[in-house]
Amino acid sequence: MTAAVFFGCAFIAFGPALALYVFTIATVPLRIIFLIAGAFFWLVSLLISSLVWFMARVITDNKDGPTQKYVLIFGAFVSVYIQEMFRFAYYRLLKKASEGLKTINPGETAPSMRLLAYVSGLGFGIMSGVFSFVNTLSDSLGPGTVGIHGDSPQFFLYSAFMTLVIILLHVFWGIVFFDGCEKKKWCLLLIVLLTHLLVSAQTFISSYYGINLVSAFIILVLMGTWAFFIAGGSCRSLKLCLLCQDKDFLLYNQRSR
Amino acid sequence: MHILSSRRVVQRIYTPFTEDTETVGQRALHSILNAAIMISVIVVMTILLVVLYKYRCYKSKADFSCKQIEVEVVRVEISVYLVAVLCPKGPLRMLVETAQERNETLFPALIYSSTMVWLVNMAEGDPEAQRRVSKNSKYNAESTERESQDTVAENDDGGFSEEWEAQRDSHLGPHRSTPESRAAVQELSSSILAGEDPEERGVKLGLGDFIFYSVLVGKASATASGDWNTTIACFVAILIGLCLTLLLLAIFKKALPALPISITFGLVFYFATDYLVQPFMDQLAFHQFYI
């Protein structure tokens, strides 16, 4: 419960997303707009799912106890489903916007759907991460003792890592989802929905931080690899990039080797 | 996981009616009275500003006492813009029309302008529309360094005195807008706009709008029970409102008030996040569920 915990957890959770933003999005204003619009869509989906949860709570007469926990689980599942629905809605909007941009600016190249998939996934992820973690983060500054009633003292660290996983997963889900929409492979959409439900559900089922984190990271690595190959990457291009021999990438950054 | 926190209540001197009353009716009445006090201050100040401008009570742009008016005006509530902007006999419309008749540019301190080239293409069309785009909605206060993207373009002199430029440079720091870079930007634009003043191109937004946005976000962060969730929700909602307003600007090609869509979205998300989203996220965080 110190500044060290605050900064440490903040950078664990938001560091990669911030780096992605600074290096890929901040330089092009159009991408910033698409990012914020993606964040807005996630926000609206959260609003609607909160409304559903609220109504469910009112219907079950607001009693405390296990009923409320089941209502919450129901609300969380509905929220995941609505998030994916809004991801689809954002895809449709971006499709229309791409066509509109092409008619307005026939000379300039509109951003490709793959880039928009990445930007929208990052928008969803950042908003999701911020909403789940920022209040916890601001509490970590204040005076207090973690786990005073017998809970785990690793609460902040666990939350930070889970938030990181969720943000990156949203990026990968965005890429896979949009690719499925473009190529009309609806099974990809279903797989994204199911993995999202799986990651969410394991946080309800198990309260052991270690197991949750490890399985979430495994899913993250699998989705990441899949998204990499879907976005057009290959082992060869990865090797070239890591060894700084990728000529196109170097030319783009105006460096010589 | 239980987390305890404490809150402080602050009473402002310019809203003398307290909000800690017993009944909801009393609280509503007090809120209305507080708002009415601020609205009347703003209307009076705006009319004073227009009267001073009409009777040419300004020597140079540096001498005009923007600061005094700004201190009063900056404590605003939202509904006053209906009187100031939309009313046909309202003070701000008179200000804009007087400035247009005299063919002068408005005080640079009252308007934020961006000369981002890609936006130029969206609003391409007759130069008349461009001129009207530049005289946009609300005006107030001096420019804030928060919004200083270094692309603020200006005329060669534009009536800026040396002291004003020195003051601006101390606020903004060394800016990278040189005659060469401005010439390069002009090259990029389409031929229709080639002869245009750099100040006329691009989108202009009254700085009063920024003030209203800041007030809403500040209020959300100070008084909402959702803490950061509400603040961030308002922030994103206002940004999206601004995007939609710019889109409408490109479609209709005439001056539009920048406030309504942003403030509507901001308010909707403020209340929705405070009453619906915050309990939901709170419960999820309590049980350590992730969605």
Side-chain angles (χ1 to χ4, degrees), chain B residues 55-123:
Chain B
Y55 294 107
R56 298 182 190 263
C57 296
Y58 53 86
K59 285 186 216 162
S60 71
K61 294 182 165 85
D63 281 355
F64 186 75
S65 56
C66 288
K67 275 202 191 348
Q68 290 162 351
I69 295 185
E70 180 202 8
V71 165
E72 292 302 312
V73 161
V74 81
R75 305 172 192 147
V76 297
E77 297 284 354
I78 292 153
S79 50
V80 66
Y81 109 101
L82 284 171
V83 170
V85 176
L86 289 188
C87 178
K89 299 282 180 213
L92 282 175
R93 200 151 284 223
M94 280 176 59
L95 180 71
V96 170
E97 278 157 14
T98 319
Q100 275 180 323
E101 277 164 35
R102 294 185 197 164
N103 213 13
E104 285 169 3
T105 57
L106 280 153
F107 300 118
L110 297 180
I111 294 210
Y112 166 73
S113 94
S114 88
T115 53
M116 302 191 77
V117 176
W118 69 273
L119 278 174
V120 168
N121 287 325
M122 282 172 74

Side-chain angles (χ1 to χ4, degrees), chain A residues 10-239:
Chain A
F11 286 128
I12 287 175
F14 298 119
L18 189 66
L20 285 172
Y21 173 79
V22 164
F23 289 120
T24 58
I25 296 194
T27 48
V28 182
L30 200 58
R31 294 183 200 170
I32 299 181
I33 293 180
F34 285 128
L35 184 88
I36 301 282
F40 180 72
F41 269 72
W42 188 88
L43 190 62
V44 174
S45 80
L46 180 69
L47 198 74
I48 294 180
S49 29
S50 311
L51 191 64
V52 167
W53 169 77
F54 196 78
M55 290 189 323
R57 207 172 66 156
V58 164
I59 289 174
T60 59
D61 282 335
N62 237 347
K63 288 196 213 78
D64 276 328
T67 331
Q68 289 308 310
K69 196 169 173 195
Y70 295 130
V71 170
L72 190 64
I73 292 177
F74 166 72
F77 277 141
V78 165
S79 172
V80 167
Y81 183 67
I82 294 180
Q83 280 177 52
E84 298 305 327
M85 259 177 39
F86 268 81
R87 208 194 292 274
F88 185 69
Y90 194 43
Y91 165 77
R92 297 294 295 269
L93 182 73
L94 285 177
K95 203 88 178 117
K96 284 218 174 91
S98 279
E99 281 151 27
L101 275 173
K102 276 196 202 112
T103 52
I104 291 176
N105 284 351
E108 274 177 36
T109 51
S112 71
M113 213 54 196
R114 271 192 209 149
L115 179 70
L116 291 177
Y118 160 71
V119 170
S120 81
L122 191 60
F124 269 58
I126 286 179
M127 206 59 178
S128 170
V130 160
F131 259 70
S132 15
F133 195 49
V134 86
N135 275 335
T136 314
L137 205 58
S138 81
D139 282 329
S140 78
L141 264 178
T145 310
V146 191
I148 204 168
H149 291 290
D151 302 301
S152 161
Q154 309 304 330
F155 169 65
F156 289 121
L157 215 53
Y158 164 73
S159 303
F161 276 109
M162 259 325 261
T163 309
L164 168 69
V165 167
I166 297 280
I167 294 179
L168 291 177
L169 270 175
H170 268 291
V171 176
F172 302 142
W173 283 329
I175 296 174
V176 173
F177 195 94
F178 276 42
D179 188 66
C181 291
E182 284 280 285
K183 300 197 174 116
K184 306 264 191 285
K185 287 190 208 162
W186 308 117
C187 58
L188 288 184
L189 274 68
L190 197 62
I191 292 177
V192 166
L193 177 66
L194 287 177
T195 37
H196 196 166
L197 281 173
L198 180 67
V199 170
S200 205
Q202 62 165 23
T203 60
F204 317 151
I205 296 170
S206 149
S207 55
Y208 294 111
Y209 291 166
I211 301 176
N212 282 351
L213 263 184
V214 165
S215 53
F217 264 99
I218 291 173
I219 296 179
L220 173 72
V221 167
L222 291 173
M223 288 300 299
T225 331
W226 191 14
F228 176 73
F229 286 113
I230 280 187
S234 63
C235 294
R236 196 179 139 268
S237 66
L238 183 64
K239 192 177 116 190

